[in-house]
Each structure stands twice: as C-alpha cells, then as structure tokens.
Amino acid sequence: MCEDVNNYRTWLDSLIDKIIKNVDEGLKDVRYEASIPTDSFFLSEMLFLNITANFNNGSEKKKSINVVVKKPPSSACIREMARTDDQFHNEILFYQKYGKMYPEFPRCFYTEEKPPTDSVIVLENVVVQRGYHVIKWKYDIPLEYTLAALREIGRFHAKAYAMKEQHSDEFFDMVRNIKESRYYPGSNLQVIINVTGTRSVEYLRKQGYDEHICDKLEAEFQHMYENIILKAIEPEEPFATLCHGDWTINNTLFKRENGELKAMFIDFALMRFGSPVLDLSTFLCLHCAKEISKDMLDNVLKVYHDSLRKCLIENGVDCEKYSYEGLYEDFKKRGLFGFSIATFFLGIQMGKNTKQPEELTDMDPYDSGMELRSVGGDEVSEILANMLLKLKDFGCLDHIP
C-alpha cells in the first residue's frame, strides 16, 4: 500500500462527491481527513475517512460520517494470486443484493466495479459510528464472545434461508453471480493445504498413536484439498445457505449494548453458497482449537441452532427441515473443513510465524506450505493433533474409508 495519503488526494476529491450524493445531497462545504491504517496487514488497500459538511438549509448543525474505503492492492502479483477482481465483485454483490436490506451490516455508501485496480467499496466505519470493536484475543477466545458470534452467524444463515425460500429468484440470481476466488483446482492454496495437511498425523506417529489409523489419515490428508475442501464446499440441500466464507475473529466485531454482547461481521469478499458448517468449523477450529471436544461441539452447536431456529420462526420459515439432528450430521460430514484451514493458518493466528504475510505470498506455494507446516513447532502440532482426535470422537472422521 502507498504510505503517503497525499498520493490519493486527487482520486479522493472525486470520490467524496460520489459518497456525498449517497449520504445527503443537501450538504455543502464538504471537508475530509484521510488516514491509512498501519496496525494490521490488509490484502486490500484501505483508507479511513472522516467527512464533515454543513447543511444547505441554513442550519448550524454539521453532518459527520466516518467511512472505510477499500481498493484492490497495487501489486499485480497479489491481485492475481488472490483473484481480487472476483473478491471485489463478490463484496459489491453482497452489499447490492443482500447487505443493504439489514441494519446489522455496515452501511455501504458507494461501490464501483472497475477491475483490476479502480474498483472501490466505501463502507460505514462501524468502530467509530456504532461503537463496535475488535477484541484482543485471536485464539482461545472467551466463551462469551464465541457464543455471541455463533448466535449472530445463526441469524445470518437463517435470514439467507428465508430469502432462499421466500424470494428464491432474487436469491439464486445472487448465488449464480458469486465468483469462486479461493477454492478452485490449481490455486496456490491447493499446494499449501496438501503440504500442511499431514502435519497432525506426523505428530501422532511420533507419539506412538495407532499406526493403522495414521496410515489411513495420511493417505486422506496428503490430498486434503481435493478430499476434504473441494468436497465440503459443494452445496447440498436443504442446508445450503449464504455463507460468509471467511468467518474468522478478524472479520468479527463486538460491542456491549444494554448488557448484551453483540457481534457484527465484515468483509464478505469470499461469500459462497454452501453448508453453514463451512463457517462454523472454520471459526471453531481456528479460535477454539484447544477447547474442542464432543461435549463442547454439542453445546455450541445447540446455541447456534437455537439462534437459527428463533430467527427462522421470526421470518415465517418452517424450521423443521433445518433440524439440529440434520445440522449435527452435516457437521460430522464437513467438520474437517475448518480443520483443513487450521493446518496452515492456526500458527499464524496464534502469532507464531516469523515471516510476515507479505513474505509468504511472495514465496513459491510449496515453500510457503513448508514454512507454514513448521510454524509454532510441536506446540501447534500438538494442538492440531489433539483437535483432530476430538473431531474424530464427534464423528468427523467416520466418512474416511
């Protein structure tokens, strides 16, 4: 990302006019302050804007809004690797066709799809405007936050079910327009996941775990991308819904309101149509890895399902087809999806990596996979191995021949 915000000034001046038209055309004397976030790695180029203006009606009141501006990365290599054309298309699609209907998402003030470098998304800065915030925990998240996030993702999935049933033409028109930007044959991620996939099995072998089971798991996990990822993402009715697609704590904000902890989701560039287990298993395997057990999964899935069911009823949807028993079986079938993500990303989430994300994206996919396979050493390998055994207790390995 360009470090000098002045390099954006000419472009921002024209963008501000477009934003104001969508906020309130009765504004004048528009001013703005811009800053570039430096405390995190973002795939997109991002700016924070504080916009102030006066009303045309003579009122002394001022209008002030805070927005986040997202642009594709300047690096052609990153754009190609991440398919940012498709990612920006998906997020624009989300806000145009879905997000604008619900206040629980950031308000979208402006979008323009002009790949490869001139696409833009302007969103409400909900940290400033609504008091949401990121939390300090990246893994081993306190249960209160996990449950708040699960209740909110339950509502998210339920409202998508309602749209699928009550406005099916609009829903499936949106689904048909979603572009695959992450899980496709030949992606860099295919190499990385297949390299990191057997890390947990290697650790179990060193601990003297059952050789026959290790052989079976190794045969399956050597091609984890094909055997688990690509199979899990195939939508299957009735549970297929709109999924966030990248539901992590990095894309979840929280605030406490009237004593209740609430969650909000951001960044829908990887949304997809598929099983809710894709979202659930990713979040749980990355952020609750040490706590996962059969009892824990039983409990948190019930919290999720209670929230789902309540929202379905509120939206006039017959919830019988979305039973807890059906969800349980679907989690057994697809729960290794999140584990597959954890094999390469858990160590990074725990802050154990010595290389920065930018360095990893510049590496050959195989070398990047080998680097990620060793991040965190035995500490991360043990967590992955124990989590795998707990998922086995739940039934997530039952389908492996």
Side-chain angles (χ1 to χ4, degrees), residues 138-220:
K138 297 301 181 184
Y139 64 100
D140 295 347
I141 296 171
L143 182 61
E144 180 186 20
Y145 288 89
T146 297
L147 297 181
L150 285 166
R151 291 187 184 100
E152 189 58 36
I153 201 69
R155 288 187 281 268
F156 177 82
H157 292 153
K159 289 180 179 179
Y161 285 136
M163 184 179 179
K164 182 175 74 169
E165 294 196 11
Q166 297 167 355
H167 305 281
S168 60
D169 288 346
E170 295 93 326
F171 181 83
F172 284 106
D173 180 63
M174 175 179 65
V175 167
R176 283 190 293 270
N177 277 284
I178 296 174
K179 295 184 178 181
E180 182 57 71
S181 60
R182 176 166 282 187
Y183 303 117
Y184 53 91
S187 75
N188 289 349
L189 204 53
Q190 179 176 14
V191 178
I192 291 171
I193 289 178
N194 284 345
V195 169
T196 61
T198 57
R199 177 178 182 173
S200 58
V201 182
E202 180 183 50
Y203 183 84
L204 288 173
R205 283 191 191 279
K206 289 179 181 178
Q207 305 307 308
Y209 194 73
D210 185 285
E211 185 175 347
H212 173 70
I213 295 178
C214 286
D215 288 345
K216 184 169 69 170
L217 293 175
E218 185 170 24
E220 182 79 359

Coordinates of all heavy atoms in Angstrom, one line a residue, residues 138-220:
K138 N -7.1 -13.6 19.7 CA -7.1 -14.2 18.3 C -7.3 -15.7 18.3 O -7.7 -16.3 17.3 CB -5.8 -13.8 17.6 CG -5.6 -12.3 17.4 CD -6.7 -11.7 16.6 CE -6.5 -10.2 16.4 NZ -7.6 -9.5 15.8
Y139 N -7.1 -16.3 19.5 CA -7.4 -17.7 19.6 C -7.7 -17.9 21.1 O -7.5 -17.0 21.9 CB -6.2 -18.6 19.2 CG -4.9 -18.4 20.0 CD1 -4.6 -19.3 21.0 CD2 -4.1 -17.3 19.8 CE1 -3.4 -19.1 21.8 CE2 -3.0 -17.1 20.5 CZ -2.6 -18.0 21.5 OH -1.5 -17.8 22.3
D140 N -8.2 -19.1 21.5 CA -8.6 -19.3 22.8 C -9.6 -18.2 23.3 O -9.4 -17.6 24.4 CB -7.5 -19.5 23.8 CG -6.6 -20.7 23.5 OD1 -7.0 -21.6 22.8 OD2 -5.5 -20.8 24.1
I141 N -10.5 -17.9 22.5 CA -11.4 -16.8 22.7 C -12.3 -17.1 23.9 O -12.8 -18.2 24.1 CB -12.3 -16.5 21.5 CG1 -11.4 -16.1 20.3 CG2 -13.4 -15.5 21.7 CD1 -12.1 -16.0 19.0
P142 N -12.6 -16.1 24.8 CA -13.5 -16.4 25.9 C -14.9 -16.9 25.4 O -15.4 -16.4 24.4 CB -13.6 -15.0 26.6 CG -12.3 -14.3 26.3 CD -12.0 -14.8 24.9
L143 N -15.5 -17.8 26.1 CA -16.7 -18.4 25.7 C -17.8 -17.4 25.4 O -18.6 -17.6 24.5 CB -17.2 -19.4 26.8 CG -18.5 -20.2 26.5 CD1 -18.3 -21.0 25.2 CD2 -18.9 -21.0 27.7
E144 N -17.9 -16.3 26.2 CA -18.9 -15.3 26.0 C -18.9 -14.8 24.5 O -19.9 -14.5 23.9 CB -18.8 -14.2 27.0 CG -19.8 -13.1 26.8 CD -19.6 -11.9 27.7 OE1 -18.4 -11.7 28.2 OE2 -20.5 -11.1 28.0
Y145 N -17.7 -14.5 24.0 CA -17.5 -14.0 22.7 C -17.8 -15.0 21.6 O -18.4 -14.7 20.6 CB -16.1 -13.4 22.5 CG -15.9 -12.1 23.3 CD1 -15.5 -12.2 24.6 CD2 -16.1 -10.9 22.7 CE1 -15.3 -11.0 25.3 CE2 -16.0 -9.7 23.4 CZ -15.5 -9.8 24.7 OH -15.4 -8.6 25.5
T146 N -17.4 -16.2 21.9 CA -17.7 -17.3 21.0 C -19.2 -17.5 20.8 O -19.7 -17.6 19.7 CB -17.1 -18.6 21.4 OG1 -15.7 -18.5 21.5 CG2 -17.5 -19.8 20.5
L147 N -19.9 -17.5 21.9 CA -21.4 -17.7 21.9 C -22.1 -16.5 21.2 O -23.0 -16.7 20.4 CB -22.0 -17.9 23.3 CG -21.4 -19.2 24.0 CD1 -22.1 -19.3 25.4 CD2 -21.7 -20.4 23.2
A148 N -21.6 -15.3 21.5 CA -22.2 -14.1 20.8 C -22.0 -14.2 19.3 O -22.9 -13.9 18.5 CB -21.6 -12.8 21.3
A149 N -20.8 -14.6 18.9 CA -20.6 -14.8 17.4 C -21.4 -15.9 16.8 O -21.9 -15.7 15.7 CB -19.1 -15.0 17.2
L150 N -21.6 -17.0 17.5 CA -22.4 -18.1 17.0 C -23.8 -17.7 16.9 O -24.5 -18.1 15.9 CB -22.2 -19.3 17.9 CG -20.9 -20.1 17.8 CD1 -20.7 -21.0 18.9 CD2 -20.8 -20.8 16.5
R151 N -24.3 -16.9 17.8 CA -25.8 -16.5 17.7 C -25.9 -15.6 16.5 O -26.9 -15.7 15.8 CB -26.2 -15.8 19.0 CG -26.3 -16.7 20.2 CD -26.8 -15.9 21.4 NE -26.8 -16.8 22.6 CZ -25.9 -16.7 23.6 NH1 -24.9 -15.8 23.5 NH2 -25.9 -17.5 24.6
E152 N -25.0 -14.7 16.3 CA -25.1 -13.8 15.1 C -25.0 -14.6 13.8 O -25.7 -14.3 12.8 CB -24.1 -12.7 15.2 CG -24.3 -11.6 14.2 CD -25.7 -10.9 14.3 OE1 -26.2 -10.8 15.5 OE2 -26.2 -10.6 13.3
I153 N -24.1 -15.5 13.7 CA -23.9 -16.3 12.4 C -25.2 -17.1 12.2 O -25.6 -17.4 11.1 CB -22.6 -17.1 12.4 CG1 -22.3 -17.5 10.9 CG2 -22.8 -18.4 13.2 CD1 -21.8 -16.3 10.1
G154 N -25.8 -17.6 13.3 CA -27.1 -18.3 13.2 C -28.2 -17.4 12.6 O -28.9 -17.9 11.7
R155 N -28.2 -16.1 13.0 CA -29.2 -15.2 12.4 C -28.8 -14.9 10.9 O -29.7 -14.8 10.1 CB -29.2 -13.9 13.2 CG -29.9 -14.1 14.6 CD -30.1 -12.7 15.3 NE -28.9 -12.3 15.9 CZ -28.5 -12.5 17.2 NH1 -29.3 -13.3 17.9 NH2 -27.4 -12.1 17.7
F156 N -27.6 -14.8 10.7 CA -27.1 -14.6 9.3 C -27.6 -15.7 8.4 O -28.1 -15.4 7.3 CB -25.6 -14.4 9.3 CG -25.0 -14.2 7.9 CD1 -24.9 -13.0 7.3 CD2 -24.4 -15.3 7.3 CE1 -24.4 -12.8 6.1 CE2 -23.9 -15.2 6.0 CZ -23.8 -13.9 5.4
H157 N -27.3 -16.9 8.8 CA -27.7 -18.1 8.0 C -29.2 -18.2 7.8 O -29.8 -18.5 6.8 CB -27.1 -19.4 8.6 CG -25.6 -19.5 8.5 ND1 -24.9 -20.2 9.4 CD2 -24.7 -18.9 7.6 CE1 -23.6 -20.1 9.1 NE2 -23.5 -19.3 8.0
A158 N -29.9 -17.9 8.9 CA -31.4 -18.0 8.9 C -32.0 -17.0 8.0 O -33.0 -17.4 7.2 CB -31.9 -17.8 10.4
K159 N -31.6 -15.8 8.0 CA -32.1 -14.8 7.1 C -31.9 -15.2 5.6 O -32.7 -14.9 4.7 CB -31.6 -13.4 7.4 CG -32.1 -12.9 8.7 CD -31.6 -11.5 9.1 CE -32.3 -11.1 10.4 NZ -31.8 -9.7 10.8
A160 N -30.7 -15.8 5.4 CA -30.5 -16.3 4.0 C -31.4 -17.4 3.6 O -31.9 -17.5 2.5 CB -29.0 -16.7 3.9
Y161 N -31.7 -18.3 4.6 CA -32.7 -19.4 4.3 C -34.0 -18.7 4.0 O -34.7 -19.2 3.1 CB -32.8 -20.3 5.5 CG -31.7 -21.3 5.8 CD1 -31.2 -21.5 7.1 CD2 -31.2 -22.0 4.8 CE1 -30.2 -22.4 7.3 CE2 -30.2 -23.0 5.0 CZ -29.7 -23.1 6.3 OH -28.7 -24.0 6.5
A162 N -34.4 -17.7 4.7 CA -35.7 -17.0 4.5 C -35.7 -16.4 3.1 O -36.7 -16.6 2.4 CB -35.9 -16.0 5.5
M163 N -34.6 -15.8 2.7 CA -34.6 -15.2 1.3 C -34.6 -16.3 0.3 O -35.3 -16.2 -0.7 CB -33.3 -14.4 1.2 CG -33.2 -13.7 -0.2 SD -31.7 -12.6 -0.3 CE -31.9 -12.0 -2.0
K164 N -33.9 -17.4 0.5 CA -33.9 -18.6 -0.4 C -35.3 -19.1 -0.6 O -35.7 -19.4 -1.7 CB -33.0 -19.7 0.1 CG -32.9 -20.8 -0.8 CD -31.8 -21.9 -0.3 CE -32.4 -22.7 0.8 NZ -31.5 -23.9 1.1
E165 N -36.1 -19.2 0.5 CA -37.4 -19.7 0.3 C -38.5 -18.7 -0.1 O -39.4 -19.1 -0.9 CB -37.9 -20.3 1.7 CG -37.0 -21.5 2.1 CD -37.7 -22.4 3.2 OE1 -38.9 -22.1 3.5 OE2 -37.0 -23.2 3.8
Q166 N -38.4 -17.5 0.3 CA -39.4 -16.5 0.1 C -39.2 -15.6 -1.1 O -40.1 -15.1 -1.7 CB -39.6 -15.7 1.3 CG -40.1 -16.5 2.5 CD -40.0 -15.7 3.8 OE1 -39.5 -14.6 3.9 NE2 -40.4 -16.3 4.9
H167 N -37.9 -15.5 -1.5 CA -37.5 -14.7 -2.7 C -36.5 -15.5 -3.5 O -35.4 -15.0 -3.7 CB -37.0 -13.4 -2.3 CG -38.0 -12.6 -1.4 ND1 -39.0 -11.9 -1.9 CD2 -38.0 -12.4 0.0 CE1 -39.7 -11.3 -0.9 NE2 -39.1 -11.6 0.2
S168 N -36.9 -16.7 -3.9 CA -35.9 -17.6 -4.5 C -35.3 -17.1 -5.8 O -34.1 -17.3 -6.0 CB -36.5 -19.0 -4.7 OG -37.6 -18.9 -5.6
D169 N -36.0 -16.4 -6.6 CA -35.5 -15.9 -7.8 C -34.3 -14.9 -7.6 O -33.2 -15.0 -8.2 CB -36.5 -15.2 -8.7 CG -37.5 -16.2 -9.3 OD1 -37.2 -17.4 -9.3 OD2 -38.6 -15.7 -9.7
E170 N -34.6 -14.0 -6.7 CA -33.5 -13.0 -6.3 C -32.3 -13.7 -5.7 O -31.2 -13.3 -5.9 CB -34.1 -11.9 -5.4 CG -35.2 -11.0 -6.0 CD -36.6 -11.5 -5.8 OE1 -36.8 -12.8 -5.7 OE2 -37.4 -10.7 -5.6
F171 N -32.6 -14.6 -4.8 CA -31.6 -15.3 -4.0 C -30.7 -16.1 -5.0 O -29.4 -15.9 -5.0 CB -32.2 -16.2 -3.0 CG -31.1 -17.0 -2.2 CD1 -30.5 -16.3 -1.1 CD2 -30.7 -18.2 -2.5 CE1 -29.6 -17.0 -0.3 CE2 -29.7 -18.9 -1.8 CZ -29.2 -18.3 -0.7
F172 N -31.2 -16.9 -5.9 CA -30.4 -17.7 -6.7 C -29.8 -16.9 -7.9 O -28.7 -17.3 -8.4 CB -31.2 -18.9 -7.2 CG -31.3 -20.0 -6.2 CD1 -32.6 -20.2 -5.6 CD2 -30.3 -20.7 -5.8 CE1 -32.7 -21.1 -4.6 CE2 -30.4 -21.7 -4.8 CZ -31.6 -21.9 -4.2
D173 N -30.4 -15.8 -8.2 CA -29.7 -14.8 -9.1 C -28.4 -14.3 -8.5 O -27.4 -14.2 -9.2 CB -30.6 -13.7 -9.5 CG -29.9 -12.7 -10.4 OD1 -29.6 -13.1 -11.6 OD2 -29.7 -11.5 -10.1
M174 N -28.5 -14.0 -7.2 CA -27.3 -13.6 -6.5 C -26.2 -14.7 -6.4 O -25.1 -14.5 -6.7 CB -27.6 -13.1 -5.1 CG -26.4 -12.7 -4.2 SD -26.9 -12.2 -2.5 CE -27.7 -13.7 -1.9
V175 N -26.7 -15.9 -6.1 CA -25.8 -17.0 -5.9 C -25.1 -17.3 -7.2 O -23.9 -17.6 -7.3 CB -26.6 -18.3 -5.4 CG1 -25.8 -19.6 -5.6 CG2 -27.0 -18.1 -4.0
R176 N -25.8 -17.3 -8.3 CA -25.2 -17.6 -9.7 C -24.1 -16.5 -10.0 O -23.2 -16.8 -10.8 CB -26.3 -17.6 -10.7 CG -27.1 -18.8 -10.8 CD -28.0 -18.9 -12.0 NE -29.1 -17.9 -12.0 CZ -30.3 -18.0 -11.4 NH1 -30.6 -19.2 -10.9 NH2 -31.1 -17.1 -11.4
N177 N -24.2 -15.4 -9.4 CA -23.3 -14.3 -9.7 C -22.0 -14.3 -8.8 O -21.1 -13.5 -9.0 CB -23.9 -12.9 -9.7 CG -24.7 -12.6 -11.0 OD1 -24.0 -12.3 -12.0 ND2 -26.0 -12.8 -11.0
I178 N -22.0 -15.2 -7.8 CA -20.9 -15.3 -6.9 C -19.7 -15.9 -7.7 O -19.9 -16.9 -8.4 CB -21.2 -16.1 -5.7 CG1 -22.2 -15.4 -4.8 CG2 -19.9 -16.3 -4.8 CD1 -22.7 -16.2 -3.6
K179 N -18.5 -15.3 -7.6 CA -17.4 -15.9 -8.3 C -16.4 -16.6 -7.3 O -16.2 -16.1 -6.2 CB -16.6 -14.7 -9.0 CG -17.4 -14.1 -10.1 CD -16.6 -13.1 -10.9 CE -17.4 -12.5 -12.0 NZ -16.6 -11.5 -12.8
E180 N -15.9 -17.7 -7.7 CA -15.0 -18.5 -6.9 C -13.6 -17.9 -6.9 O -13.0 -17.8 -8.0 CB -15.0 -20.0 -7.4 CG -14.1 -20.8 -6.6 CD -14.5 -20.9 -5.1 OE1 -15.6 -21.5 -4.8 OE2 -13.8 -20.3 -4.3
S181 N -13.2 -17.5 -5.8 CA -11.9 -16.8 -5.7 C -10.9 -17.5 -4.8 O -9.8 -17.0 -4.6 CB -12.1 -15.3 -5.2 OG -12.7 -15.3 -4.0
R182 N -11.3 -18.6 -4.2 CA -10.4 -19.2 -3.3 C -10.2 -20.7 -3.5 O -9.1 -21.2 -3.7 CB -10.8 -19.0 -1.8 CG -10.0 -19.8 -0.8 CD -10.2 -19.3 0.6 NE -9.5 -18.0 0.9 CZ -9.4 -17.5 2.1 NH1 -10.0 -18.1 3.1 NH2 -8.8 -16.4 2.3
Y183 N -11.3 -21.5 -3.6 CA -11.1 -22.9 -3.7 C -11.4 -23.4 -5.1 O -12.5 -23.7 -5.5 CB -12.1 -23.6 -2.7 CG -11.9 -23.1 -1.3 CD1 -12.8 -22.4 -0.6 CD2 -10.6 -23.3 -0.7 CE1 -12.6 -22.0 0.7 CE2 -10.4 -22.9 0.6 CZ -11.4 -22.2 1.3 OH -11.2 -21.8 2.6
Y184 N -10.4 -23.4 -5.9 CA -10.5 -23.9 -7.3 C -9.3 -24.7 -7.7 O -8.2 -24.5 -7.1 CB -10.6 -22.7 -8.3 CG -9.5 -21.6 -8.1 CD1 -8.3 -21.7 -8.8 CD2 -9.6 -20.6 -7.2 CE1 -7.3 -20.8 -8.6 CE2 -8.6 -19.7 -7.0 CZ -7.5 -19.8 -7.7 OH -6.5 -18.8 -7.5
P185 N -9.4 -25.7 -8.6 CA -8.3 -26.5 -9.0 C -7.1 -25.7 -9.5 O -7.3 -24.7 -10.3 CB -8.8 -27.4 -10.1 CG -10.3 -27.4 -9.8 CD -10.6 -26.0 -9.3
G186 N -5.9 -25.9 -9.0 CA -4.7 -25.2 -9.4 C -4.4 -24.0 -8.6 O -3.4 -23.3 -9.0
S187 N -5.1 -23.7 -7.6 CA -4.8 -22.5 -6.8 C -3.6 -22.7 -5.9 O -3.2 -23.9 -5.6 CB -6.0 -22.1 -5.9 OG -6.1 -23.0 -4.8
N188 N -2.9 -21.7 -5.5 CA -1.8 -21.8 -4.6 C -2.2 -22.5 -3.3 O -1.4 -23.2 -2.7 CB -1.2 -20.4 -4.3 CG -0.5 -19.8 -5.5 OD1 -0.3 -20.4 -6.5 ND2 -0.2 -18.5 -5.4
L189 N -3.4 -22.2 -2.9 CA -3.9 -22.8 -1.7 C -4.0 -24.4 -1.8 O -3.8 -25.1 -0.7 CB -5.3 -22.3 -1.3 CG -5.7 -22.3 0.2 CD1 -4.6 -21.6 1.1 CD2 -7.0 -21.6 0.3
Q190 N -4.2 -24.9 -2.9 CA -4.2 -26.3 -3.1 C -2.9 -26.9 -2.7 O -2.8 -27.9 -2.0 CB -4.5 -26.7 -4.6 CG -4.5 -28.1 -4.9 CD -4.9 -28.4 -6.3 OE1 -5.0 -27.6 -7.2 NE2 -5.2 -29.7 -6.6
V191 N -1.8 -26.3 -3.2 CA -0.5 -26.8 -2.8 C -0.2 -26.6 -1.4 O 0.3 -27.6 -0.7 CB 0.6 -26.0 -3.6 CG1 2.0 -26.5 -3.3 CG2 0.4 -26.2 -5.1
I192 N -0.5 -25.5 -0.8 CA -0.2 -25.2 0.6 C -1.0 -26.2 1.5 O -0.4 -26.8 2.4 CB -0.6 -23.7 0.9 CG1 0.4 -22.8 0.2 CG2 -0.6 -23.5 2.4 CD1 -0.1 -21.3 0.3
I193 N -2.3 -26.4 1.3 CA -3.0 -27.3 2.2 C -2.6 -28.7 2.0 O -2.5 -29.4 3.0 CB -4.5 -27.1 1.9 CG1 -5.0 -25.8 2.4 CG2 -5.4 -28.2 2.5 CD1 -6.5 -25.5 2.1
N194 N -2.2 -29.1 0.8 CA -1.7 -30.5 0.7 C -0.4 -30.7 1.4 O -0.1 -31.8 1.8 CB -1.7 -30.9 -0.8 CG -3.1 -31.2 -1.4 OD1 -4.0 -31.4 -0.6 ND2 -3.2 -31.2 -2.7
V195 N 0.4 -29.7 1.5 CA 1.7 -29.7 2.2 C 1.5 -29.8 3.7 O 2.1 -30.5 4.4 CB 2.6 -28.6 1.7 CG1 3.8 -28.5 2.7 CG2 3.1 -28.7 0.3
T196 N 0.6 -28.9 4.2 CA 0.4 -28.8 5.6 C -0.6 -29.9 6.2 O -0.6 -30.1 7.4 CB -0.1 -27.4 6.0 OG1 -1.4 -27.2 5.4 CG2 0.8 -26.3 5.6
G197 N -1.3 -30.6 5.3 CA -2.4 -31.4 5.7 C -2.0 -32.6 6.6 O -2.8 -33.0 7.5
T198 N -0.8 -33.1 6.5 CA -0.4 -34.3 7.3 C 0.4 -33.9 8.5 O 0.9 -34.8 9.2 CB 0.4 -35.3 6.4 OG1 1.6 -34.6 5.9 CG2 -0.4 -35.8 5.3
R199 N 0.5 -32.7 8.8 CA 1.2 -32.2 10.0 C 0.8 -32.9 11.3 O 1.6 -33.4 12.1 CB 1.2 -30.7 10.1 CG 1.9 -30.2 11.3 CD 1.9 -28.7 11.4 NE 2.6 -28.2 12.6 CZ 2.9 -26.9 12.9 NH1 2.4 -26.0 12.0 NH2 3.6 -26.6 13.9
S200 N -0.5 -32.9 11.5 CA -1.1 -33.5 12.7 C -0.8 -35.0 12.8 O -0.5 -35.6 13.8 CB -2.6 -33.3 12.8 OG -3.2 -33.8 11.7
V201 N -0.9 -35.7 11.6 CA -0.6 -37.1 11.6 C 0.8 -37.4 11.9 O 1.2 -38.4 12.6 CB -1.0 -37.7 10.2 CG1 -0.8 -39.2 10.2 CG2 -2.4 -37.4 9.8
E202 N 1.7 -36.6 11.4 CA 3.2 -36.8 11.6 C 3.4 -36.7 13.1 O 4.2 -37.5 13.7 CB 4.0 -35.7 10.9 CG 5.5 -35.8 11.2 CD 6.2 -34.7 10.5 OE1 5.8 -33.5 10.6 OE2 7.2 -35.0 9.8
Y203 N 2.7 -35.8 13.8 CA 2.9 -35.7 15.3 C 2.3 -36.9 16.0 O 3.0 -37.4 16.9 CB 2.2 -34.4 15.8 CG 2.4 -34.1 17.2 CD1 3.5 -33.5 17.7 CD2 1.4 -34.6 18.2 CE1 3.7 -33.3 19.1 CE2 1.6 -34.4 19.5 CZ 2.7 -33.7 20.0 OH 2.9 -33.5 21.3
L204 N 1.2 -37.4 15.6 CA 0.6 -38.5 16.2 C 1.5 -39.8 16.0 O 1.6 -40.6 17.0 CB -0.8 -38.8 15.6 CG -1.9 -37.8 15.9 CD1 -3.2 -38.1 15.1 CD2 -2.2 -37.9 17.4
R205 N 2.1 -39.9 14.9 CA 3.1 -41.0 14.7 C 4.2 -40.9 15.7 O 4.6 -42.0 16.3 CB 3.6 -41.0 13.3 CG 2.7 -41.5 12.2 CD 3.5 -41.7 10.9 NE 2.6 -41.9 9.8 CZ 2.1 -43.1 9.5 NH1 2.3 -44.2 10.3 NH2 1.3 -43.3 8.4
K206 N 4.7 -39.7 15.9 CA 5.8 -39.6 16.8 C 5.4 -39.9 18.3 O 6.3 -40.3 19.1 CB 6.3 -38.1 16.8 CG 7.1 -37.8 15.5 CD 7.5 -36.3 15.5 CE 8.3 -35.9 14.2 NZ 8.7 -34.5 14.2
Q207 N 4.1 -39.7 18.6 CA 3.6 -40.1 19.9 C 3.2 -41.5 20.0 O 2.7 -41.9 21.1 CB 2.5 -39.2 20.2 CG 2.7 -37.7 20.1 CD 4.0 -37.2 20.9 OE1 4.1 -37.5 22.1 NE2 4.9 -36.5 20.3
G208 N 3.4 -42.3 19.0 CA 3.1 -43.7 19.0 C 1.6 -44.1 18.9 O 1.2 -45.1 19.3
Y209 N 0.9 -43.2 18.2 CA -0.5 -43.4 18.0 C -0.7 -44.5 17.0 O 0.2 -44.9 16.2 CB -1.2 -42.1 17.5 CG -2.7 -42.1 17.6 CD1 -3.4 -42.0 18.8 CD2 -3.5 -42.3 16.4 CE1 -4.8 -42.1 18.8 CE2 -4.8 -42.3 16.4 CZ -5.5 -42.2 17.7 OH -6.9 -42.3 17.7
D210 N -1.9 -45.1 17.1 CA -2.3 -46.3 16.3 C -1.8 -46.2 14.8 O -2.2 -45.3 14.1 CB -3.8 -46.5 16.3 CG -4.2 -47.8 15.6 OD1 -4.2 -47.8 14.3 OD2 -4.6 -48.7 16.3
E211 N -0.9 -47.1 14.4 CA -0.3 -47.0 13.1 C -1.3 -47.1 11.9 O -1.2 -46.4 10.9 CB 0.8 -48.1 12.9 CG 1.6 -48.0 11.7 CD 2.8 -49.0 11.6 OE1 3.1 -49.5 12.7 OE2 3.3 -49.2 10.5
H212 N -2.2 -48.0 12.1 CA -3.2 -48.3 11.1 C -4.0 -47.0 10.8 O -4.3 -46.6 9.7 CB -4.1 -49.4 11.4 CG -5.3 -49.6 10.5 ND1 -5.1 -50.1 9.2 CD2 -6.6 -49.4 10.7 CE1 -6.3 -50.1 8.6 NE2 -7.2 -49.7 9.5
I213 N -4.5 -46.3 11.9 CA -5.3 -45.1 11.8 C -4.4 -44.0 11.1 O -4.9 -43.2 10.3 CB -5.8 -44.6 13.1 CG1 -6.8 -45.7 13.6 CG2 -6.5 -43.3 13.0 CD1 -7.4 -45.4 15.0
C214 N -3.1 -43.9 11.6 CA -2.2 -42.9 11.0 C -2.0 -43.1 9.5 O -2.0 -42.1 8.7 CB -0.9 -42.9 11.7 SG -0.9 -42.2 13.4
D215 N -1.9 -44.4 9.1 CA -1.8 -44.7 7.6 C -3.0 -44.2 6.9 O -2.9 -43.6 5.8 CB -1.5 -46.2 7.4 CG -0.2 -46.6 7.9 OD1 0.7 -45.8 8.1 OD2 0.0 -47.9 8.0
K216 N -4.2 -44.5 7.4 CA -5.4 -44.1 6.8 C -5.6 -42.6 6.7 O -5.9 -42.1 5.6 CB -6.6 -44.7 7.6 CG -7.9 -44.5 6.9 CD -9.0 -45.3 7.6 CE -9.3 -44.9 9.0 NZ -10.6 -45.5 9.6
L217 N -5.2 -41.9 7.8 CA -5.4 -40.5 7.8 C -4.3 -39.8 6.8 O -4.6 -38.9 6.1 CB -5.2 -39.9 9.2 CG -6.3 -40.3 10.2 CD1 -6.0 -39.8 11.6 CD2 -7.6 -39.7 9.7
E218 N -3.1 -40.4 6.8 CA -2.1 -39.8 6.0 C -2.5 -40.0 4.5 O -2.3 -39.0 3.7 CB -0.8 -40.5 6.2 CG 0.4 -39.9 5.4 CD 1.7 -40.4 5.8 OE1 1.8 -41.5 6.3 OE2 2.7 -39.7 5.6
A219 N -3.0 -41.1 4.1 CA -3.5 -41.3 2.7 C -4.6 -40.3 2.4 O -4.6 -39.8 1.2 CB -4.0 -42.7 2.5
E220 N -5.5 -40.0 3.3 CA -6.5 -39.0 3.0 C -6.0 -37.6 3.0 O -6.4 -36.8 2.2 CB -7.6 -39.1 4.1 CG -8.8 -38.2 4.0 CD -9.8 -38.7 2.9 OE1 -9.6 -39.8 2.3 OE2 -10.8 -38.0 2.7

